[in-house]
Amino acid sequence: MTDGKQEHWDAVYRVKAADSVSWYQPMPEPSLRTLDELHLPATASLIDVGGGASSLVDRLVERGWSDLTVLDIAAPALEVAKARLRGGAAQVDWVVADITVWRPERGYDVWHDRALFHFLTEPAQRLAYRRALDAGTAPGSVVIIATFAPDGPERCSGLPVRGYDAAALAAEFSPAFILERDWREEHATPGGSRQSFQWCVLHRR
């Protein structure tokens, strides 16, 4: 890993409980609702990039999804999720990697990213993410992505972030990916504050 990113995120998950970080969701309702509305079968392959300790993987295992990958730069975050899943953890492919240097060795039907992309404030970082996305998807693949909106926080977990509206987020992945749906979400943090998120669903041509 580079630029101290791994050390930063490892420290976050060693110091804070997974349900106390600002991005924590007791139930990943926006993600689950979107998957339901897309009528995706449980046999579809899904990767949750930046998934960390999110409970999305728990809910998908419960629903019978059988081809799941969770990627995160912080091994301690993935260990939290594994411990929570217990025996179910064996059904998941766990990948400790920095998305800006990782290259997938396979493709996925669904690429899910809630709150990773907005940490990539430099053009070179976003280009590297796009290379991973291109390698990890194929025509027909779905991208479900959420970032802070323009009126969202300017920093998160001590790091600068970049907010997007739907048009700006879609432009990052054009022309190979077509925007199909977008909406905003007001996320309530464990501390009681509100954060504006922008969600987009894109399909690869």
Side-chain angles (χ1 to χ4, degrees):
M1 310 301 175
T2 59
D3 303 326
K5 288 182 288 184
Q6 182 181 23
E7 291 80 3
H8 174 87
W9 289 111
D10 283 359
V12 167
Y13 281 97
R14 288 193 180 110
V15 171
K16 294 185 177 182
D19 60 359
S20 70
V21 293
S22 65
W23 53 91
Y24 171 72
Q25 291 177 306
M27 176 64 72
E29 191 275 334
S31 300
L32 294 174
R33 184 185 66 243
T34 303
L35 292 170
D36 288 342
E37 291 173 352
L38 290 169
H39 303 293
L40 293 166
T43 54
S45 56
L46 180 147
I47 181 168
D48 189 11
V49 298
S54 166
S55 64
L56 177 61
V57 67
D58 308 55
R59 305 289 81 81
L60 294 178
V61 168
E62 289 173 358
R63 290 170 171 222
W65 283 62
S66 56
D67 190 350
L68 297 170
T69 300
V70 182
L71 177 146
D72 202 273
I73 196 171
L78 298 184
E79 291 303 320
V80 170
K82 289 180 188 179
R84 198 176 57 229
L85 274 168
R86 299 186 180 182
Q91 303 176 45
V92 180
D93 185 16
W94 305 94
V95 179
V96 179
D98 177 348
I99 191 66
T100 64
V101 297
W102 179 68
R103 288 296 173 269
E105 297 179 354
R106 56 164 298 186
Y108 301 91
D109 300 317
V110 185
W111 179 286
H112 178 273
D113 173 357
R114 178 185 176 269
L116 185 158
F117 189 74
H118 59 212
F119 284 104
L120 307 181
T121 57
E122 299 298 328
Q125 295 173 322
R126 297 193 294 277
L127 178 59
Y129 180 104
R130 176 61 187 269
R131 287 175 178 150
L133 175 62
D134 289 347
T137 56
S141 292
V142 178
V143 176
I144 302 170
I145 186 166
T147 68
F148 285 135
D151 58 335
E154 295 182 357
R155 298 182 70 84
C156 180
S157 190
L159 299 176
V161 293
R162 180 184 175 96
Y164 294 86
D165 61 17
L169 195 53
E172 291 285 339
F173 305 106
S174 178
F177 294 84
I178 303 169
L179 178 65
E180 295 209 344
R181 291 184 51 207
D182 65 87
W183 69 96
R184 285 171 54 103
E185 172 209 0
E186 292 300 312
H187 167 63
T189 72
S193 63
R194 310 289 293 186
Q195 296 178 337
S196 298
F197 271 79
Q198 176 65 56
W199 285 78
C200 290
V201 175
L202 307 100
H203 272 85
R204 183 164 178 177
R205 296 176 182 268

mmCIF file of all heavy atoms in Angstrom, residues 41-82:
data_model
loop_
_atom_site.group_PDB
_atom_site.id
_atom_site.type_symbol
_atom_site.label_atom_id
_atom_site.label_comp_id
_atom_site.label_asym_id
_atom_site.label_seq_id
_atom_site.Cartn_x
_atom_site.Cartn_y
_atom_site.Cartn_z
ATOM 1 N N PRO A 41 -30.462 -11.659 -9.611
ATOM 2 C CA PRO A 41 -30.564 -12.967 -8.956
ATOM 3 C C PRO A 41 -29.444 -13.165 -7.952
ATOM 4 O O PRO A 41 -28.373 -12.550 -8.043
ATOM 5 C CB PRO A 41 -30.417 -13.942 -10.134
ATOM 6 C CG PRO A 41 -29.538 -13.214 -11.107
ATOM 7 C CD PRO A 41 -29.947 -11.758 -10.998
ATOM 8 N N ALA A 42 -29.675 -14.055 -6.993
ATOM 9 C CA ALA A 42 -28.675 -14.352 -5.976
ATOM 10 C C ALA A 42 -27.463 -15.071 -6.555
ATOM 11 O O ALA A 42 -26.437 -15.206 -5.878
ATOM 12 C CB ALA A 42 -29.287 -15.180 -4.856
ATOM 13 N N THR A 43 -27.570 -15.511 -7.794
ATOM 14 C CA THR A 43 -26.427 -16.147 -8.458
ATOM 15 C C THR A 43 -25.486 -15.126 -9.088
ATOM 16 O O THR A 43 -24.404 -15.493 -9.553
ATOM 17 C CB THR A 43 -26.922 -17.112 -9.551
ATOM 18 O OG1 THR A 43 -27.808 -16.403 -10.432
ATOM 19 C CG2 THR A 43 -27.641 -18.302 -8.937
ATOM 20 N N ALA A 44 -25.881 -13.856 -9.119
ATOM 21 C CA ALA A 44 -25.020 -12.822 -9.693
ATOM 22 C C ALA A 44 -23.774 -12.652 -8.831
ATOM 23 O O ALA A 44 -23.820 -12.799 -7.604
ATOM 24 C CB ALA A 44 -25.778 -11.502 -9.793
ATOM 25 N N SER A 45 -22.662 -12.335 -9.468
ATOM 26 C CA SER A 45 -21.424 -12.078 -8.728
ATOM 27 C C SER A 45 -21.378 -10.609 -8.338
ATOM 28 O O SER A 45 -21.704 -9.726 -9.135
ATOM 29 C CB SER A 45 -20.205 -12.442 -9.577
ATOM 30 O OG SER A 45 -20.227 -11.751 -10.820
ATOM 31 N N LEU A 46 -20.973 -10.346 -7.099
ATOM 32 C CA LEU A 46 -20.950 -8.969 -6.590
ATOM 33 C C LEU A 46 -19.664 -8.731 -5.829
ATOM 34 O O LEU A 46 -19.241 -9.561 -5.027
ATOM 35 C CB LEU A 46 -22.152 -8.728 -5.681
ATOM 36 C CG LEU A 46 -22.297 -7.333 -5.062
ATOM 37 C CD1 LEU A 46 -23.770 -6.943 -4.905
ATOM 38 C CD2 LEU A 46 -21.597 -7.241 -3.693
ATOM 39 N N ILE A 47 -19.046 -7.578 -6.090
ATOM 40 C CA ILE A 47 -17.909 -7.139 -5.302
ATOM 41 C C ILE A 47 -18.284 -5.839 -4.598
ATOM 42 O O ILE A 47 -18.838 -4.928 -5.211
ATOM 43 C CB ILE A 47 -16.633 -6.948 -6.152
ATOM 44 C CG1 ILE A 47 -15.459 -6.518 -5.253
ATOM 45 C CG2 ILE A 47 -16.844 -5.961 -7.305
ATOM 46 C CD1 ILE A 47 -14.106 -6.578 -5.925
ATOM 47 N N ASP A 48 -18.000 -5.779 -3.303
ATOM 48 C CA ASP A 48 -18.221 -4.580 -2.504
ATOM 49 C C ASP A 48 -16.860 -3.954 -2.254
ATOM 50 O O ASP A 48 -16.099 -4.406 -1.392
ATOM 51 C CB ASP A 48 -18.911 -4.959 -1.193
ATOM 52 C CG ASP A 48 -19.367 -3.750 -0.392
ATOM 53 O OD1 ASP A 48 -19.345 -2.627 -0.938
ATOM 54 O OD2 ASP A 48 -19.750 -3.938 0.783
ATOM 55 N N VAL A 49 -16.520 -2.925 -3.030
ATOM 56 C CA VAL A 49 -15.202 -2.299 -2.896
ATOM 57 C C VAL A 49 -15.265 -1.265 -1.778
ATOM 58 O O VAL A 49 -16.201 -0.482 -1.687
ATOM 59 C CB VAL A 49 -14.719 -1.679 -4.227
ATOM 60 C CG1 VAL A 49 -14.555 -2.753 -5.293
ATOM 61 C CG2 VAL A 49 -15.641 -0.588 -4.722
ATOM 62 N N GLY A 50 -14.268 -1.309 -0.910
ATOM 63 C CA GLY A 50 -14.308 -0.468 0.272
ATOM 64 C C GLY A 50 -15.353 -0.951 1.260
ATOM 65 O O GLY A 50 -15.834 -0.189 2.096
ATOM 66 N N GLY A 51 -15.702 -2.240 1.184
ATOM 67 C CA GLY A 51 -16.781 -2.780 2.002
ATOM 68 C C GLY A 51 -16.478 -2.781 3.484
ATOM 69 O O GLY A 51 -17.391 -2.667 4.305
ATOM 70 N N GLY A 52 -15.203 -2.906 3.845
ATOM 71 C CA GLY A 52 -14.823 -2.831 5.241
ATOM 72 C C GLY A 52 -15.635 -3.746 6.136
ATOM 73 O O GLY A 52 -15.803 -4.926 5.863
ATOM 74 N N ALA A 53 -16.180 -3.159 7.210
ATOM 75 C CA ALA A 53 -16.976 -3.910 8.176
ATOM 76 C C ALA A 53 -18.471 -3.781 7.913
ATOM 77 O O ALA A 53 -19.279 -4.134 8.777
ATOM 78 C CB ALA A 53 -16.656 -3.439 9.587
ATOM 79 N N SER A 54 -18.847 -3.303 6.738
ATOM 80 C CA SER A 54 -20.269 -3.125 6.406
ATOM 81 C C SER A 54 -21.035 -4.430 6.544
ATOM 82 O O SER A 54 -20.513 -5.511 6.249
ATOM 83 C CB SER A 54 -20.403 -2.612 4.966
ATOM 84 O OG SER A 54 -21.737 -2.722 4.507
ATOM 85 N N SER A 55 -22.301 -4.313 6.942
ATOM 86 C CA SER A 55 -23.153 -5.499 7.086
ATOM 87 C C SER A 55 -23.833 -5.897 5.785
ATOM 88 O O SER A 55 -24.641 -6.831 5.783
ATOM 89 C CB SER A 55 -24.215 -5.258 8.169
ATOM 90 O OG SER A 55 -25.092 -4.211 7.770
ATOM 91 N N LEU A 56 -23.514 -5.224 4.683
ATOM 92 C CA LEU A 56 -24.122 -5.609 3.408
ATOM 93 C C LEU A 56 -23.853 -7.074 3.102
ATOM 94 O O LEU A 56 -24.750 -7.811 2.668
ATOM 95 C CB LEU A 56 -23.599 -4.730 2.274
ATOM 96 C CG LEU A 56 -24.107 -5.098 0.868
ATOM 97 C CD1 LEU A 56 -25.624 -4.967 0.780
ATOM 98 C CD2 LEU A 56 -23.418 -4.247 -0.193
ATOM 99 N N VAL A 57 -22.626 -7.519 3.321
ATOM 100 C CA VAL A 57 -22.292 -8.905 3.007
ATOM 101 C C VAL A 57 -23.115 -9.871 3.854
ATOM 102 O O VAL A 57 -23.553 -10.918 3.367
ATOM 103 C CB VAL A 57 -20.765 -9.145 3.168
ATOM 104 C CG1 VAL A 57 -20.333 -9.022 4.625
ATOM 105 C CG2 VAL A 57 -20.366 -10.492 2.600
ATOM 106 N N ASP A 58 -23.369 -9.520 5.118
ATOM 107 C CA ASP A 58 -24.205 -10.373 5.983
ATOM 108 C C ASP A 58 -25.596 -10.551 5.382
ATOM 109 O O ASP A 58 -26.133 -11.664 5.319
ATOM 110 C CB ASP A 58 -24.367 -9.764 7.374
ATOM 111 C CG ASP A 58 -23.065 -9.395 8.038
ATOM 112 O OD1 ASP A 58 -22.277 -8.646 7.436
ATOM 113 O OD2 ASP A 58 -22.839 -9.821 9.177
ATOM 114 N N ARG A 59 -26.168 -9.430 4.984
ATOM 115 C CA ARG A 59 -27.534 -9.482 4.451
ATOM 116 C C ARG A 59 -27.594 -10.275 3.146
ATOM 117 O O ARG A 59 -28.566 -10.987 2.885
ATOM 118 C CB ARG A 59 -28.039 -8.055 4.205
ATOM 119 C CG ARG A 59 -27.985 -7.127 5.415
ATOM 120 C CD ARG A 59 -29.016 -7.477 6.482
ATOM 121 N NE ARG A 59 -28.606 -8.567 7.355
ATOM 122 C CZ ARG A 59 -27.796 -8.423 8.397
ATOM 123 N NH1 ARG A 59 -27.284 -7.231 8.672
ATOM 124 N NH2 ARG A 59 -27.484 -9.450 9.160
ATOM 125 N N LEU A 60 -26.543 -10.158 2.322
ATOM 126 C CA LEU A 60 -26.543 -10.890 1.057
ATOM 127 C C LEU A 60 -26.349 -12.386 1.281
ATOM 128 O O LEU A 60 -26.973 -13.205 0.601
ATOM 129 C CB LEU A 60 -25.469 -10.327 0.124
ATOM 130 C CG LEU A 60 -25.715 -8.886 -0.342
ATOM 131 C CD1 LEU A 60 -24.567 -8.408 -1.231
ATOM 132 C CD2 LEU A 60 -27.037 -8.763 -1.094
ATOM 133 N N VAL A 61 -25.499 -12.746 2.229
ATOM 134 C CA VAL A 61 -25.359 -14.167 2.571
ATOM 135 C C VAL A 61 -26.699 -14.715 3.057
ATOM 136 O O VAL A 61 -27.117 -15.814 2.672
ATOM 137 C CB VAL A 61 -24.257 -14.362 3.638
ATOM 138 C CG1 VAL A 61 -24.307 -15.775 4.217
ATOM 139 C CG2 VAL A 61 -22.877 -14.098 3.032
ATOM 140 N N GLU A 62 -27.396 -13.950 3.883
ATOM 141 C CA GLU A 62 -28.713 -14.372 4.368
ATOM 142 C C GLU A 62 -29.688 -14.583 3.219
ATOM 143 O O GLU A 62 -30.556 -15.454 3.277
ATOM 144 C CB GLU A 62 -29.280 -13.322 5.322
ATOM 145 C CG GLU A 62 -28.581 -13.247 6.662
ATOM 146 C CD GLU A 62 -29.074 -12.074 7.488
ATOM 147 O OE1 GLU A 62 -29.938 -11.301 6.990
ATOM 148 O OE2 GLU A 62 -28.602 -11.919 8.632
ATOM 149 N N ARG A 63 -29.551 -13.778 2.172
ATOM 150 C CA ARG A 63 -30.457 -13.852 1.023
ATOM 151 C C ARG A 63 -30.049 -14.926 0.024
ATOM 152 O O ARG A 63 -30.680 -15.090 -1.008
ATOM 153 C CB ARG A 63 -30.506 -12.488 0.322
ATOM 154 C CG ARG A 63 -31.225 -11.412 1.120
ATOM 155 C CD ARG A 63 -31.031 -10.056 0.480
ATOM 156 N NE ARG A 63 -31.897 -9.053 1.114
ATOM 157 C CZ ARG A 63 -32.575 -8.137 0.437
ATOM 158 N NH1 ARG A 63 -32.497 -8.089 -0.891
ATOM 159 N NH2 ARG A 63 -33.331 -7.254 1.069
ATOM 160 N N GLY A 64 -28.960 -15.624 0.301
ATOM 161 C CA GLY A 64 -28.550 -16.729 -0.553
ATOM 162 C C GLY A 64 -27.580 -16.371 -1.666
ATOM 163 O O GLY A 64 -27.316 -17.203 -2.543
ATOM 164 N N TRP A 65 -27.023 -15.153 -1.625
ATOM 165 C CA TRP A 65 -26.034 -14.798 -2.647
ATOM 166 C C TRP A 65 -24.804 -15.682 -2.455
ATOM 167 O O TRP A 65 -24.304 -15.841 -1.336
ATOM 168 C CB TRP A 65 -25.650 -13.327 -2.534
ATOM 169 C CG TRP A 65 -26.702 -12.400 -3.100
ATOM 170 C CD1 TRP A 65 -27.985 -12.256 -2.656
ATOM 171 C CD2 TRP A 65 -26.558 -11.507 -4.201
ATOM 172 N NE1 TRP A 65 -28.645 -11.325 -3.403
ATOM 173 C CE2 TRP A 65 -27.794 -10.842 -4.364
ATOM 174 C CE3 TRP A 65 -25.514 -11.189 -5.055
ATOM 175 C CZ2 TRP A 65 -28.006 -9.890 -5.365
ATOM 176 C CZ3 TRP A 65 -25.719 -10.236 -6.049
ATOM 177 C CH2 TRP A 65 -26.952 -9.600 -6.196
ATOM 178 N N SER A 66 -24.308 -16.229 -3.545
ATOM 179 C CA SER A 66 -23.277 -17.268 -3.443
ATOM 180 C C SER A 66 -21.933 -16.886 -4.046
ATOM 181 O O SER A 66 -20.977 -17.653 -3.950
ATOM 182 C CB SER A 66 -23.775 -18.542 -4.139
ATOM 183 O OG SER A 66 -24.123 -18.268 -5.492
ATOM 184 N N ASP A 67 -21.830 -15.700 -4.672
ATOM 185 C CA ASP A 67 -20.576 -15.283 -5.315
ATOM 186 C C ASP A 67 -20.271 -13.858 -4.879
ATOM 187 O O ASP A 67 -20.518 -12.896 -5.603
ATOM 188 C CB ASP A 67 -20.708 -15.381 -6.835
ATOM 189 C CG ASP A 67 -19.373 -15.208 -7.555
ATOM 190 O OD1 ASP A 67 -18.391 -14.832 -6.894
ATOM 191 O OD2 ASP A 67 -19.328 -15.431 -8.782
ATOM 192 N N LEU A 68 -19.730 -13.732 -3.670
ATOM 193 C CA LEU A 68 -19.513 -12.429 -3.051
ATOM 194 C C LEU A 68 -18.036 -12.186 -2.796
ATOM 195 O O LEU A 68 -17.309 -13.081 -2.361
ATOM 196 C CB LEU A 68 -20.259 -12.343 -1.715
ATOM 197 C CG LEU A 68 -21.782 -12.455 -1.777
ATOM 198 C CD1 LEU A 68 -22.347 -12.606 -0.366
ATOM 199 C CD2 LEU A 68 -22.380 -11.231 -2.467
ATOM 200 N N THR A 69 -17.600 -10.961 -3.069
ATOM 201 C CA THR A 69 -16.239 -10.529 -2.769
ATOM 202 C C THR A 69 -16.317 -9.208 -2.015
ATOM 203 O O THR A 69 -17.102 -8.326 -2.393
ATOM 204 C CB THR A 69 -15.419 -10.331 -4.058
ATOM 205 O OG1 THR A 69 -15.363 -11.571 -4.779
ATOM 206 C CG2 THR A 69 -14.005 -9.855 -3.757
ATOM 207 N N VAL A 70 -15.538 -9.075 -0.959
ATOM 208 C CA VAL A 70 -15.435 -7.814 -0.233
ATOM 209 C C VAL A 70 -13.973 -7.387 -0.257
ATOM 210 O O VAL A 70 -13.091 -8.144 0.152
ATOM 211 C CB VAL A 70 -15.923 -7.933 1.223
ATOM 212 C CG1 VAL A 70 -15.832 -6.567 1.915
ATOM 213 C CG2 VAL A 70 -17.350 -8.453 1.279
ATOM 214 N N LEU A 71 -13.735 -6.177 -0.738
ATOM 215 C CA LEU A 71 -12.383 -5.634 -0.835
ATOM 216 C C LEU A 71 -12.260 -4.414 0.061
ATOM 217 O O LEU A 71 -13.138 -3.557 0.060
ATOM 218 C CB LEU A 71 -12.068 -5.259 -2.286
ATOM 219 C CG LEU A 71 -10.702 -4.603 -2.558
ATOM 220 C CD1 LEU A 71 -10.171 -5.038 -3.918
ATOM 221 C CD2 LEU A 71 -10.777 -3.067 -2.512
ATOM 222 N N ASP A 72 -11.170 -4.345 0.794
ATOM 223 C CA ASP A 72 -10.902 -3.153 1.597
ATOM 224 C C ASP A 72 -9.410 -3.050 1.848
ATOM 225 O O ASP A 72 -8.705 -4.065 1.897
ATOM 226 C CB ASP A 72 -11.644 -3.201 2.931
ATOM 227 C CG ASP A 72 -11.825 -1.806 3.520
ATOM 228 O OD1 ASP A 72 -10.921 -1.331 4.221
ATOM 229 O OD2 ASP A 72 -12.874 -1.180 3.264
ATOM 230 N N ILE A 73 -8.941 -1.843 2.021
ATOM 231 C CA ILE A 73 -7.528 -1.620 2.292
ATOM 232 C C ILE A 73 -7.158 -2.015 3.719
ATOM 233 O O ILE A 73 -5.999 -2.293 4.014
ATOM 234 C CB ILE A 73 -7.173 -0.137 2.019
ATOM 235 C CG1 ILE A 73 -5.660 0.050 1.909
ATOM 236 C CG2 ILE A 73 -7.780 0.780 3.081
ATOM 237 C CD1 ILE A 73 -5.263 1.441 1.422
ATOM 238 N N ALA A 74 -8.157 -2.048 4.619
ATOM 239 C CA ALA A 74 -7.907 -2.290 6.043
ATOM 240 C C ALA A 74 -8.255 -3.722 6.426
ATOM 241 O O ALA A 74 -9.433 -4.084 6.514
ATOM 242 C CB ALA A 74 -8.710 -1.313 6.887
ATOM 243 N N ALA A 75 -7.251 -4.515 6.687
ATOM 244 C CA ALA A 75 -7.492 -5.888 7.132
ATOM 245 C C ALA A 75 -8.308 -5.950 8.424
ATOM 246 O O ALA A 75 -9.173 -6.817 8.560
ATOM 247 C CB ALA A 75 -6.162 -6.625 7.298
ATOM 248 N N PRO A 76 -8.077 -5.051 9.398
ATOM 249 C CA PRO A 76 -8.891 -5.126 10.621
ATOM 250 C C PRO A 76 -10.389 -4.958 10.358
ATOM 251 O O PRO A 76 -11.209 -5.555 11.066
ATOM 252 C CB PRO A 76 -8.345 -3.968 11.471
ATOM 253 C CG PRO A 76 -6.939 -3.787 11.004
ATOM 254 C CD PRO A 76 -7.000 -4.057 9.528
ATOM 255 N N ALA A 77 -10.756 -4.168 9.359
ATOM 256 C CA ALA A 77 -12.173 -3.995 9.030
ATOM 257 C C ALA A 77 -12.770 -5.300 8.521
ATOM 258 O O ALA A 77 -13.873 -5.698 8.911
ATOM 259 C CB ALA A 77 -12.333 -2.903 7.980
ATOM 260 N N LEU A 78 -12.036 -5.986 7.661
ATOM 261 C CA LEU A 78 -12.530 -7.256 7.136
ATOM 262 C C LEU A 78 -12.594 -8.309 8.234
ATOM 263 O O LEU A 78 -13.501 -9.160 8.217
ATOM 264 C CB LEU A 78 -11.635 -7.734 5.991
ATOM 265 C CG LEU A 78 -11.573 -6.823 4.755
ATOM 266 C CD1 LEU A 78 -10.719 -7.470 3.670
ATOM 267 C CD2 LEU A 78 -12.968 -6.506 4.218
ATOM 268 N N GLU A 79 -11.674 -8.254 9.177
ATOM 269 C CA GLU A 79 -11.708 -9.216 10.281
ATOM 270 C C GLU A 79 -12.960 -9.037 11.128
ATOM 271 O O GLU A 79 -13.521 -10.013 11.639
ATOM 272 C CB GLU A 79 -10.445 -9.072 11.141
ATOM 273 C CG GLU A 79 -9.171 -9.528 10.456
ATOM 274 C CD GLU A 79 -9.233 -10.974 9.970
ATOM 275 O OE1 GLU A 79 -9.790 -11.820 10.698
ATOM 276 O OE2 GLU A 79 -8.749 -11.250 8.855
ATOM 277 N N VAL A 80 -13.414 -7.799 11.283
ATOM 278 C CA VAL A 80 -14.662 -7.546 12.012
ATOM 279 C C VAL A 80 -15.823 -8.226 11.302
ATOM 280 O O VAL A 80 -16.656 -8.894 11.925
ATOM 281 C CB VAL A 80 -14.920 -6.026 12.144
ATOM 282 C CG1 VAL A 80 -16.331 -5.755 12.678
ATOM 283 C CG2 VAL A 80 -13.885 -5.378 13.052
ATOM 284 N N ALA A 81 -15.883 -8.047 9.985
ATOM 285 C CA ALA A 81 -16.974 -8.652 9.217
ATOM 286 C C ALA A 81 -16.901 -10.170 9.252
ATOM 287 O O ALA A 81 -17.927 -10.848 9.395
ATOM 288 C CB ALA A 81 -16.930 -8.146 7.775
ATOM 289 N N LYS A 82 -15.705 -10.721 9.133
ATOM 290 C CA LYS A 82 -15.545 -12.183 9.178
ATOM 291 C C LYS A 82 -16.022 -12.745 10.515
ATOM 292 O O LYS A 82 -16.731 -13.763 10.561
ATOM 293 C CB LYS A 82 -14.079 -12.560 8.967
ATOM 294 C CG LYS A 82 -13.539 -12.350 7.570
ATOM 295 C CD LYS A 82 -12.074 -12.778 7.549
ATOM 296 C CE LYS A 82 -11.399 -12.423 6.258
ATOM 297 N NZ LYS A 82 -9.975 -12.827 6.251
#
